[in-house]
């Protein structure tokens, strides 16, 4: 019988992907495809299953899956086109959907783990797997869940991409109903529902999912939700629970411990034939400088239309300039664990020693342009005022710190005594009892404005309304509210850069102590930096004021808030290239 054009396309599509599957196995085995030891073990597990004939490898079931993906369009370089599986993706999907218990209609794998670097199609794999389960996996009245750590990640990343795939795949769009909080597939009198679930163990008490994808599990503090899902679907034939994630920086979270179990499965020290595991990562920290090894953590590099090695090399070169960026690169792009303790060590003691100088005197900068910022988070603890002056390419930073007239505030919760800074004048005891009078800060601003050309006064939203009002109306200085959080990302990174370049000097020893308290949080999605007060060891008000001021300087003295950093990075890369 002559095949229709569409059927011929399907046959070619299926044949092409089976060829990719077997070529991947052969390439990993003979070394022509560069992989880590974990992927070699995953391929070896497949070969052992194939040779022992304990289970059935059902090609008809794989063909069914491919006939579904034939109609799925995904985003490739901002254009939706047919989902063309890469070889390692074929290996993943063919295993979880192809292996069956001998002589039964029950799939072998009830769990899977797929761990890789960022931008390696994890969201695509999650969404395609869930959509297949929703529409084609022969379930009736079933529940499927996409689990994320936060509401934002669940709604803006996974669930939105699910809807985008549907809207750009005509065959799916006419069959799957889109609701605000669910996707529904109805057939006859039955309806399958796919929902988004936030990582809340209590929310799992009433669910019985046939399929669940747990996204970015490195953020999960404990594994109660995973365990509840395992219990809930224990008696559901062909249920599937998948972990699809990168690694992270917190070794106290659940994934780090669970991964030891996954590695034991691959090594064969633990026997669990019902758990399929693929871990893409560098084999060691030493390989971070070997660009050829990046494909071990970033398997999509096999197709330059998806991601180019030049992009990762550029990220690596940029990451060398900042301590935290380097760790973020190692986590996100090399998929290696980096300990949380290191993430809290922002600036080294050597770097701070080099940037600190008690010889600089603000009186020497008479007539210079200056930026002022205050961090006044509480009227009872430390409030900090920063003055920033850029002279001949070097930033000079001066801090004044006030604390309430309350002896109990000087002895910190870790036993550290701030009294020594009072004697040096680096910490000012407020004239008021039990609180800081904002007029004392106003008087310092007034004093500075008499011999400096103050461009702007920056303030946060904590107890500064009256102070800002007085500064603007009595001193005629422009005031600006400085949004904190990730808005200061460029300023925080730029501060570290300037210190590395010996272009930032400060003269307050209490400020130096505050640097040691700083906790930096790197954004999961965009990689932005944020100083988190709630996780910092102690007072960091002076550091916040310094970053606020640097943010204002960048804003007022460049066309955009990234121009300075971009130019400086390009200059430094050129210097490094010339040296090499």
């Amino acid at each position: 019988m002559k095949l229709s054009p569409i059927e011929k396309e399907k046959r070619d599509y299926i044949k092409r992907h089976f060829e990719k599957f077997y070529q991947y196995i052969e390439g990993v085995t003979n070394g022509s495809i560069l992989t880590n030891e974990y992927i070699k073990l995953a391929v070896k597990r497949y070969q052992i299953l194939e040779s022992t004939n304990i289970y059935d490898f059902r090609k008809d079931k794989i063909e069914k899956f491919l006939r579904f993906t034939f109609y799925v369009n995904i985003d490739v370089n901002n254009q939706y086109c047919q989902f063309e599986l890469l070889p390692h993706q074929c290996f993943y999907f063919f295993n979880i959907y192809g292996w069956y218990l001998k002589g039964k209609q029950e799939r072998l794998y009830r769990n899977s783990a797929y761990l890789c670097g960022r931008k390696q199609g994890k969201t695509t794999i999650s969404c395609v797997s869930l959509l297949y389960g929703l529409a084609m996996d022969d379930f009736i009245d079933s529940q499927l869940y996409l689990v994320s750590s936060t509401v934002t990640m669940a709604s803006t990343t996974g669930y939105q991409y699910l809807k985008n795939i549907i809207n750009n795949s005509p065959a799916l769009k006419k069959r799957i109903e889109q609701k605000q909080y669910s996707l529904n597939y109805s057939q006859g009198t039955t309806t399958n529902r796919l929902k988004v679930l936030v990582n809340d163990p209590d929310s799992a008490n009433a669910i019985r999912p046939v399929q669940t994808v747990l996204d970015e599990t490195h953020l999960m503090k404990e594994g109660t939700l995973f365990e509840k899902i395992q219990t809930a679907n224990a008696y559901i034939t062909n249920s599937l629970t998948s972990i699809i994630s990168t690694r992270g920086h917190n070794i106290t979270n659940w994934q780090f411990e669970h991964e030891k179990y996954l590695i034991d499965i691959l090594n064969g020290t633990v026997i669990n034939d019902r758990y399929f595991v693929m871990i893409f990562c560098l084999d060691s920290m030493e390989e971070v400088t070997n660009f050829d090894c990046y494909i071990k953590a970033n398997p999509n590099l096999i197709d330059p239309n998806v991601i180019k090695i030049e992009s990762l090399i550029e990220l690596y070169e940029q990451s060398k300039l900042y301590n935290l960026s380097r760790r973020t690169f190692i986590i996100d792009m090399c998929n290696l664990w980096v300990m949380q303790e290191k993430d809290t060590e922002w600036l080294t003691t050597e770097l701070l020693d080099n940037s600190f100088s008690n010889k600089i005197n603000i009186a020497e900068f008479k007539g210079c342009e200056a930026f002022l910022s205050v961090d006044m988070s509480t009227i009872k603890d430390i409030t900090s005022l920063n003055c920033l002056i850029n002279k001949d390419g070097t930033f000079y930073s001066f801090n004044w710190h006030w604390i309430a007239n309350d002896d109990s505030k000087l002895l910190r919760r870790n036993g550290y005594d701030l009294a020594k800074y009072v004697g040096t004048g680096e910490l000012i005891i407020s004239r008021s009892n039990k609180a800081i009078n904002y007029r004392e800060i106003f008087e310092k601003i007034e004093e500075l404005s008499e011999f400096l050309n103050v461009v702007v006064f920056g303030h946060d939203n904590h107890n500064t309304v009256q102070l800002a009002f007085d500064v603007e109306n009595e001193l005629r200085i422009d005031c600006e509210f400085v949004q904190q959080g990730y808005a200061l990302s460029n300023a925080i990174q730029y501060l570290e850069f300037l210190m590395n370049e010996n272009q930032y000097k400060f003269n307050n020893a209490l400020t130096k102590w505050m640097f040691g308290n700083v906790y930096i949080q790197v954004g999961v999605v965009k990689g932005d930096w944020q100083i988190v007060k709630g996780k910092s060891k102690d007072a960091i008000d002076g550091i916040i004021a310094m970053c606020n001021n640097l943010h204002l300087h960048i804003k007022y003295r460049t066309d955009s808030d990234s121009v300075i950093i971009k130019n400086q990075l390009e200059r430094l890369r050129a210097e490094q290239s010339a040296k090499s």
Side-chain angles (χ1 to χ4, degrees):
M1 180 183 299
K2 185 177 180 180
L3 298 176
S4 65
I6 189 69
E7 188 60 31
K8 185 177 185 305
E9 285 184 37
K10 289 182 184 177
R11 293 285 181 91
D12 292 341
Y13 180 85
I14 293 169
K15 178 182 178 182
R16 186 165 67 248
H17 283 86
F18 269 104
E19 289 173 351
K20 290 181 184 180
F21 172 70
Y22 289 114
Q23 288 169 1
Y24 186 73
I25 295 170
E26 181 181 0
V28 171
T29 303
N30 64 29
S32 61
I33 295 177
L34 184 60
T35 61
N36 64 26
E37 292 304 311
Y38 298 140
I39 297 302
K40 292 175 184 177
L41 290 172
V43 169
K44 187 176 180 180
R45 284 186 82 201
Y46 165 82
Q47 292 170 327
I48 291 173
L49 290 181
E50 186 182 43
S51 63
T52 56
N53 201 32
I54 300 174
Y55 306 109
D56 292 332
F57 190 62
R58 299 281 300 274
K59 292 185 177 181
D60 60 316
K61 300 296 184 179
I62 298 171
E63 286 191 17
K64 179 183 178 181
F65 172 75
L66 291 174
R67 286 181 176 275
F68 169 76
T69 59
F70 178 84
Y71 291 102
V72 174
N73 293 330
I74 66 167
D75 180 12
V76 179
N77 294 328
N78 297 316
Q79 182 177 355
Y80 277 83
C81 53
Q82 186 183 57
F83 182 29
E84 184 73 20
L85 283 72
L86 296 176
H88 60 281
Q89 294 170 337
C90 291
F91 187 75
Y92 174 75
F93 282 119
F94 285 21
N95 272 277
I96 62 174
Y97 290 124
W99 283 109
Y100 277 71
L101 300 183
K102 195 73 174 178
K104 297 184 179 181
Q105 294 299 315
E106 182 178 350
R107 282 198 296 259
L108 172 63
Y109 290 117
R110 299 179 62 89
N111 292 92
S112 72
Y114 185 94
L115 309 179
C116 63
R118 286 191 64 197
K119 306 300 181 185
Q120 296 305 304
K122 297 190 304 297
T123 306
T124 296
I125 290 174
S126 301
C127 291
V128 170
S129 179
L130 287 168
L131 289 172
Y132 178 71
L134 178 70
M136 293 291 291
D137 213 9
D138 300 327
F139 295 119
I140 60 171
D141 289 329
S142 62
Q143 304 171 15
L144 300 90
Y145 291 92
L146 173 62
V147 180
S148 294
S149 294
T150 66
V151 175
T152 300
M153 289 179 65
S155 59
T156 62
T157 305
Y159 190 60
Q160 185 58 51
Y161 191 46
L162 278 165
K163 294 196 292 186
N164 289 346
I165 290 177
I166 294 169
N167 290 330
N168 287 278
S169 304
L172 301 184
K173 188 174 183 180
K174 65 182 181 182
R175 291 174 172 83
I176 298 176
E177 180 185 18
Q178 300 179 47
K179 298 287 188 179
Q180 184 175 1
Y181 300 109
S182 69
L183 302 175
N184 300 337
Y185 176 79
S186 299
Q187 191 170 22
T189 59
T190 67
T191 300
N192 296 339
R193 289 182 172 83
L194 169 55
K195 297 181 179 181
V196 171
L197 189 67
V198 177
N199 179 24
D200 176 15
D202 292 336
S203 65
N205 289 329
I207 67 173
R208 193 167 176 265
V210 299
Q211 185 174 351
T212 307
V213 169
L214 293 98
D215 180 43
E216 299 297 8
T217 49
H218 67 90
L219 296 172
M220 292 172 55
K221 296 185 183 301
E222 39 85 31
T224 305
L225 178 63
F226 176 81
E227 294 164 359
K228 286 190 174 184
I229 291 172
Q230 296 292 91
T231 302
N233 62 23
Y235 300 104
I236 302 176
T237 302
N238 293 337
S239 66
L240 179 64
T241 304
S242 302
I243 294 170
I244 300 181
S245 179
T246 57
R247 284 170 165 173
H249 68 269
N250 195 336
I251 63 172
T252 65
N253 282 357
W254 172 76
Q255 183 181 315
F256 184 79
E257 288 299 319
H258 188 68
E259 203 174 294
K260 295 177 183 178
Y261 176 69
L262 301 180
I263 293 171
D264 283 342
I265 292 174
L266 290 173
N267 287 327
T269 54
V270 169
I271 304 300
N272 186 347
D273 285 351
R274 311 214 69 172
Y275 208 139
F276 180 75
V277 181
M278 291 183 79
I279 303 176
F280 296 92
C281 64
L282 300 192
D283 281 309
S284 68
M285 197 69 73
E286 286 71 26
E287 291 182 342
V288 171
T289 58
N290 186 344
F291 302 145
D292 291 337
C293 291
Y294 282 9
I295 195 170
K296 293 182 179 182
N298 304 273
N300 284 11
L301 283 172
I302 198 170
D303 185 355
N305 292 320
V306 178
I307 185 172
K308 294 180 173 61
I309 184 62
E310 292 79 9
S311 300
L312 294 186
I313 294 174
E314 182 178 357
L315 286 174
Y316 169 74
E317 293 297 337
Q318 292 179 10
S319 75
K320 292 193 297 185
L321 303 176
Y322 304 118
N323 295 335
L324 280 168
S325 287
R326 182 163 57 251
R327 292 198 284 275
T328 301
F329 178 85
I330 292 171
I331 294 169
D332 289 352
M333 299 307 174
C334 304
N335 204 30
L336 293 172
W337 287 99
V338 177
M339 309 313 176
Q340 184 181 28
E341 290 77 10
K342 292 184 179 180
D343 263 338
T344 63
E345 299 169 4
W346 177 27
L347 303 175
T348 64
T349 301
E350 180 182 4
L351 192 60
L352 291 173
D353 287 342
N354 186 56
S355 299
F356 175 77
S357 174
N358 55 13
K359 295 180 180 180
I360 58 174
N361 189 334
I362 194 168
E364 299 172 359
F365 295 89
K366 183 178 180 180
C368 289
E369 182 180 84
F371 290 77
L372 302 179
S373 279
V374 69
D375 185 71
M376 201 170 172
S377 57
T378 173
I379 61 173
K380 293 184 179 181
D381 200 42
I382 297 177
T383 286
S384 300
L385 174 70
N386 177 257
C387 176
L388 183 67
I389 299 170
N390 184 358
K391 185 176 182 181
D392 300 328
T394 297
F395 286 89
Y396 297 91
S397 181
F398 302 89
N399 269 354
W400 294 267
H401 306 290
W402 287 265
I403 195 166
N405 190 3
D406 181 351
D407 290 343
S408 66
K409 296 295 183 182
L410 292 177
L411 190 63
R412 313 308 287 182
R413 58 178 177 264
N414 62 356
Y416 190 77
D417 193 350
L418 301 183
K420 62 180 179 179
Y421 299 111
V422 177
T424 62
E426 290 161 310
L427 178 60
I428 304 167
I429 301 294
S430 177
R431 298 191 299 264
S432 303
N433 292 327
K434 306 299 183 181
I436 298 170
N437 189 332
Y438 81 91
R439 288 299 295 187
E440 296 177 48
I441 304 166
F442 175 87
E443 290 166 6
K444 174 56 71 173
I445 296 172
E446 183 178 32
E447 175 190 328
L448 295 172
S449 68
E450 290 175 354
F451 67 95
L452 295 173
N453 178 21
V454 179
V455 178
V456 65
F457 170 64
H459 62 95
D460 57 15
N461 61 351
H462 294 285
N463 307 309
T464 59
V465 175
Q466 188 63 52
L467 175 60
F469 180 83
D470 289 352
V471 168
E472 192 163 47
N473 287 275
E474 296 183 36
L475 303 180
R476 301 301 179 188
I477 296 175
D478 290 337
C479 296
E480 180 164 332
F481 169 73
V482 180
Q483 180 67 48
Q484 296 181 4
Y486 287 123
L488 295 181
S489 179
N490 277 346
I492 299 168
Q493 295 178 58
Y494 190 42
L495 176 58
E496 181 182 328
F497 172 82
L498 290 170
M499 285 190 174
N500 275 295
E501 289 290 281
N502 197 28
Q503 293 178 341
Y504 194 96
K505 301 294 180 181
F506 67 98
N507 73 338
N508 188 296
L510 179 56
T511 300
K512 188 177 180 182
W513 170 75
M514 288 181 176
F515 271 112
N517 298 328
V518 171
Y519 178 95
I520 298 286
Q521 178 171 291
V522 180
V524 175
V525 179
K526 295 183 179 180
D528 293 334
W529 294 12
Q530 178 183 9
I531 295 177
V532 184
K533 286 190 174 184
K535 293 185 178 180
S536 296
K537 297 176 184 176
D538 206 316
I540 56 172
D541 306 79
I543 314 305
I544 296 292
M546 294 165 83
C547 292
N548 287 350
N549 239 352
L550 198 54
H551 169 78
L552 290 173
H553 189 279
I554 293 172
K555 178 179 179 180
Y556 276 77
R557 291 296 172 256
T558 58
D559 293 332
S560 75
D561 64 357
S562 62
V563 168
I564 283 184
I565 297 174
K566 181 175 182 293
N567 292 341
Q568 294 279 27
L569 292 181
E570 289 177 352
R571 176 180 63 78
L572 191 58
R573 282 200 293 270
E575 290 176 358
Q576 292 171 339
S577 178
K579 289 178 182 179
S580 62

